[in-house]
Amino acid sequence: MPQFVRESLIQAPAQAVFDFHEAPDAFARLQPPWQTTKIVQPPASLAVGTRVVLRVKLGPFWQTMEAEHIGYEPGRSFTDRLVRGPFRRWVHQHIVEPEGDRACRLRDEIDYQLPLPPFGDLFGGLFARRELRRLFDFRHEVTRKACEAQERS
């Protein structure tokens, strides 16, 4: 099963980065401008059982995506899994690890499987990896800028 990992060093305390993700507007801020997305049900928190529902435009088609939070360790990590959407499997762990008092490592680990194996991997694997890299490069940059700017002020 494919795994995608994106890791960044952020010059802000781990708690500040985790707090950013818990902010009510964080999920909306992490949506990339090139992706047509409607947030139907934003996350009320990061706690286990929280649901998120999106409508995402994939080519000419709208796809409903629903995720449920299945793991939560305050200040350290949270995990969600796709309940409904374009992936056959999607489990996403968000991890914040301290690197001293004033920096941390943000790590996203995603175990996923495309639909229609093995054809999904064969024909869509490269595209999926490229899009995941693009999405998480954007999300890490948004997080880094917001948290490092807050530290400077």
Side-chain angles (χ1 to χ4, degrees), residues 54-124:
L54 305 173
R55 297 273 297 151
V56 179
K57 195 165 189 187
L58 301 171
F61 305 104
W62 284 94
Q63 174 77 47
T64 298
M65 296 177 70
E66 182 175 354
E68 176 184 25
H69 289 229
I70 59 170
Y72 178 65
E73 187 179 335
R76 166 94 171 101
S77 70
F78 61 101
T79 305
D80 55 79
R81 73 176 172 85
L82 195 65
V83 176
R84 180 172 45 157
F87 290 85
R88 184 173 176 160
R89 173 179 162 79
W90 174 280
V91 177
H92 177 189
Q93 187 173 23
H94 315 249
I95 304 164
V96 181
E97 298 174 329
E99 294 269 334
D101 292 340
R102 298 186 176 266
C104 67
R105 194 159 300 279
L106 174 61
R107 182 176 172 91
D108 285 281
E109 297 178 0
I110 303 167
D111 292 317
Y112 68 95
Q113 186 175 26
L114 297 173
L116 306 171
F119 304 106
D121 291 332
L122 183 65
F123 296 110

Side-chain angles (χ1 to χ4, degrees), residues 13-79:
Q15 190 61 53
V17 173
F18 199 84
D19 290 348
F20 169 83
H21 284 87
E22 288 197 303
D25 67 340
F27 191 70
R29 292 173 68 184
L30 293 171
Q31 300 308 305
W34 65 84
Q35 194 174 62
T36 305
T37 304
K38 295 178 183 175
I39 301 171
V40 177
Q41 179 181 325
S45 74
L46 301 179
V48 171
T50 300
R51 294 258 175 161
V52 178
V53 180
L54 305 173
R55 297 273 297 151
V56 179
K57 195 165 189 187
L58 301 171
F61 305 104
W62 284 94
Q63 174 77 47
T64 298
M65 296 177 70
E66 182 175 354
E68 176 184 25
H69 289 229
I70 59 170
Y72 178 65
E73 187 179 335
R76 166 94 171 101
S77 70
F78 61 101
T79 305

